[in-house]
Amino acid sequence: MPEETDGRPVQTEQGTGVGTGLDHRRRWLRTFRFQSVDHVPDEEFGYWTDTYRVWQREGLPREVASEAAANRYFGFAPRARVPVVMGVRPMLPVRVLEEDERHRVIVNGLGQTLLQHKDGTSSIPHFIRFPVENRTDWLEFRKRLDPDDPARYPANWEQRLPEWRRRDYPLGIAVGSLFGWIRNWMGFEGAAAACIEQPALVEEMMEHVTELVLHVLRRALADVPLDFADFWEDMCFNSGPMISPRLFRRWMVPRYRRITDLLRGSGVDIVYVDCDGDITELVPLWLEAGVHCMFPLEIRAGTRPEDLRATYGRDVLLMGGVDKTALIAGKRGVDEELARVVRLTEQGGYIPHVDHRCPPDVTFDTYLYYLKRKRELLGVPEPEAPASERVRAAMS
Amino acid sequence: MAGQVPACPQHMSLEELRTAVVEGERTAAVAATRSALGEGVPARSILDDALVPAMATVGDLFKRRQYYVPEMLMAARAMKACMEVLRPELVAAKVEPLARVLGATVQGDLHDIGKNLVLMMLEGAGFEIVDLGVDCTPERVVTAVREHGARLICLSALLTTTMPAMRETIAALEAAGVRGQVAVLVGGAPLTQAYADEIGADGYAPDAASAVDKAKEVLARLTA
Ligand code: B12
């Protein structure tokens, strides 16, 4: 494997191994290449929106109310994606279809019809209809998946290139979703039924997304040396994948492959997939498809990083795998959970963090304890800036 | 199995019906239901000897990971379509459902895919279903128990933050004095048997296929 994807020389730490003076980018890449590092990248997945509110009552400064702010406040290692829009564009203005004193029926930006409660009995929307039910809907919907839409790239793209080329942090690109998006567009039942009743339509949608991603990717790959690409699927639950591995292999593997071949040909050799649930049955297929980094490794669903490492060795890269329910249980749970992941972290190719966004039933105190213990055990230095400065940074 | 069934027309159409349901062929299943009725097969026999065993096979295929959600869903839809045809006949013949079941995703939670599958499998096993939808307050569940005279409640939660709402729902049933007349079955990704025990539920099942066995088991205990 090449030392660095963009051909820049890497400081070599021959012999002794431990690389001091690594910047965030090199540390990240070296971790995923099983090379020596001073410590593993300091990353976390994020938080539910409710979590900020609950933690603010428990001592989190009020200014910290978004993921970007939280990342700065907790002092995590930076990592970013280029602002390219791969998915549906534009979002439509929200339309109100019906309204009375208690309810409102709206069509949101994506085209999903939702029932909302206005009387405060519930803040939870109810899905009524999804934008794609059949091929006619799809042909209309597809207009917002136009590969040639110039607005997929920001107007200041060219101006930002020098900064990205000089960066010291990992930079990547989101490369969409072959099944997860279809589930959002058709609803879960709609998508599941379509797999059986309208298989040609499902394949047509996947093919369109593949072509869209390949097309949109090319400019970014030509302009910036990128470190990673990520798919989003969320197509597994506690009993395994939502569709059969047979359909996955037939429809998805070859299409992922076209995308990952293009990525690798351009030096992007870290490709991860975001998929909750028990992914065990799909991992070999993702590996075959050139998607070799698994995230976020949901422990309670039965996906364990140590098992994947034991089965696939260094063919698989891992991110996540710290059980959120252990943090809910409190400090003892944290200690036990961290003990589980330390050895695996030392072997490389793995960045441990909570296995989904941190829920509000984890207390702020437990979370701070978790970060402190994790940093101690993994030799990650505490962020240098004092809290007051980090609050200021969080606001910037 | 097919070899053991005598080839009289009645068995033929039930066999066809079973296969059509297992394979999720809705149109064929409805046609087979109609032709069985036309041949004079009693509605009860169509239910007990074709639909229920077909859905049991589906549950089994799901447990063995030969079926995934789409296949299970198609079978359940085929079965539901047959039930539409059969229901008036069952009512006329005074065939009682196994029990009336309430299904609800608890307050604060909108995940309903799992609950819907559980309810479909229960319907396929001969239960009558009342689906209360998502984000159900404890009060709604209590009111519905009274209104429908349900014997079993299926509560679903997919979030650790909404699991406590299951406990609150059970407490509300107790406070309303109806806890003794219904069995409570709980499920959802973050749940465990230990949690079900802790909150005083009557049963827990990890998936839609085992939910059917569990439902029968807890109901048997309720009547015992
Ligand atoms: C699809 C999904 C969604 C969809 C739901 C669509 C819908 N209409 O249901 C959407 C995108 C809307 C969604 C939203 C959210 N989600 Co969500 N979601 C999932 C996902 C990926 C799959 C769930 C699913 O549908 N599975 C398929 C069905 C078939 O399986 P199932 O529900 O588990 O049901 C089976 C069994 O559990 C059992 N069962 C279920 N109910 C019952 C009941 C009884 C009585 C019995 C016996 C059995 C039983 O039988 C079923 C069939 O075999 C899970 C991941 C996971 N591990 O499950 C996350 C997950 C549940 N979601 C999660 C989160 C955080 C959220 C959000 C808060 C996200 C956010 N930040 O906004 C919101 C919550 C909104 C709300 N208030 O409810 C987290 C919960 C973490 C936690 N702390 O609990 C999970 C676990 C993801 C993760 N990796 O952490 N989500």
Side-chain angles (χ1 to χ4, degrees), chain B residues 205-220:
Chain B
D207 58 58
S210 35
V212 173
D213 306 334
K214 224 4 167 222
K216 289 182 180 158
E217 187 190 312
V218 295
L219 275 173

Side-chain angles (χ1 to χ4, degrees), chain A residues 122 124 188 197 238-239 281 361, chain B residues 26 65 68 108 135 160 189:
Chain A
S122 171
I124 297 196
F188 178 78
E197 290 183 319
N238 277 22
S239 318
E281 278 183 275
D361 39 1
Chain B
R26 190 171 16 182
R65 300 218 174 179
Y68 289 78
D135 190 26
T160 53

Side-chain angles (χ1 to χ4, degrees), chain A residues 166-177:
Chain A
R166 276 197 316 269
R167 72 185 185 272
D168 65 356
Y169 55 87
L171 183 69
I173 187 163
V175 283
S177 168

Side-chain angles (χ1 to χ4, degrees), chain A residues 48 117 121-127 183 188-197 237-247 278 281 298 300 324-325 328 359-361, chain B residues 23-24 26 62 65-71 73-74 77 106-110 112-113 116-117 120 133-135 137 140 159-163 188-192 206-207:
Chain A
W48 296 17
H117 296 260
T121 51
S122 171
S123 60
I124 297 196
H126 295 224
F127 291 91
R183 205 193 65 213
F188 178 78
E189 278 197 37
C195 284
I196 311 260
E197 290 183 319
F237 64 114
N238 277 22
S239 318
M242 291 180 179
I243 66 168
S244 68
R246 195 175 51 85
L247 289 182
D278 179 1
E281 278 183 275
E298 195 188 346
R300 283 299 292 275
K324 60 187 143 337
T325 60
I328 295 170
D361 39 1
Chain B
E23 288 176 1
R26 190 171 16 182
F62 183 75
R65 300 218 174 179
Q66 289 184 14
Y67 265 22
Y68 289 78
V69 176
E71 293 82 10
L73 184 77
M74 296 321 288
R77 285 188 177 178
V106 295
Q107 185 168 20
D109 206 317
L110 65 67
D112 64 355
I113 299 165
N116 295 348
L117 277 181
M120 283 181 201
V134 299
D135 190 26
T137 59
R140 253 195 80 212
L159 301 170
T160 53
T161 47
T162 56
M163 283 161 61
L191 265 86
T192 56
D207 58 58

Side-chain angles (χ1 to χ4, degrees), chain A residues 47 52 56 63-72 394:
Chain A
Y47 315 87
Y52 303 114
Q56 282 163 2
E63 294 78 359
V64 185
S66 70
E67 189 155 325
N71 285 343
R72 285 191 288 261

